[in-house]
Amino acid sequence: MDEQAFKQRTKVLALRVIRLVEALPRKRSTDVIGRQLIRCGTSVGANYRAACRAKSVADLIAKLGIVEEEADECLYWLELLVEAGDISETQVKSLMQETNAIVAMTVASIKTLRSRKTNPKSKI
């Protein structure tokens, strides 16, 4: 997947998270979790855009690490909402699948970059 497509994918993720949070039942717990979910859900794309402007391979790896962490945090908050009974797993299944896919692609990119960094002659 190219850079522009991944930027778009992370932006769509952010918009889906925003819509989900807006539809949550109004309770103290969902307000708190919703804020956290919006923060990390929108941060995935913002940090990926920052990674695209990395100054070095080490900087790129570090910034992609933040993308990975933020996407994984989204999964945590989504799991909490489901386990607390605030939303059904069915409601967030595709969102969780997309977030897992973003985590997996980010991890794969980090592994590839680390491999290239330690073995610059290899063609990956």
Side-chain angles (χ1 to χ4, degrees):
M1 175 171 295
D2 73 352
E3 180 182 308
Q4 283 307 115
F6 201 72
K7 281 182 180 179
Q8 183 61 30
R9 201 163 171 174
T10 58
K11 185 185 283 186
V12 169
L13 175 76
L15 292 168
R16 289 179 70 189
V17 164
I18 290 167
R19 282 189 225 104
L20 171 72
V21 171
E22 290 298 321
L24 287 174
R26 294 292 169 213
K27 301 183 339 187
R28 182 179 295 170
S29 60
T30 57
D31 288 345
V32 171
I33 293 171
R35 279 190 202 97
Q36 292 294 109
L37 183 55
I38 284 179
R39 288 182 68 211
C40 60
T42 56
S43 181
V44 172
N47 281 294
Y48 180 71
R49 288 173 69 109
C52 293
R53 303 274 186 231
K55 305 293 184 226
S56 66
V57 174
D59 189 31
L60 177 57
I61 291 169
K63 289 178 179 183
L64 286 176
I66 296 168
V67 173
E68 176 191 357
E69 290 171 7
E70 295 294 336
D72 188 59
E73 184 179 337
C74 283
L75 289 168
Y76 174 77
W77 296 120
L78 291 168
E79 289 167 8
L80 274 183
L81 286 169
V82 170
E83 291 174 25
D86 293 315
I87 53 176
S88 72
E89 189 170 352
T90 306
Q91 288 175 288
V92 292
K93 184 176 182 179
S94 73
L95 182 57
M96 290 178 84
Q97 288 172 336
E98 176 64 3
T99 307
N100 269 314
I102 288 171
V103 169
M105 287 184 276
T106 304
V107 168
S109 295
I110 292 168
K111 285 181 180 178
T112 299
L113 289 164
R114 283 185 179 145
S115 174
R116 286 182 184 168
K117 191 174 172 185
T118 58
N119 190 6
K121 292 183 182 180
S122 70
K123 291 186 178 184
I124 298 173

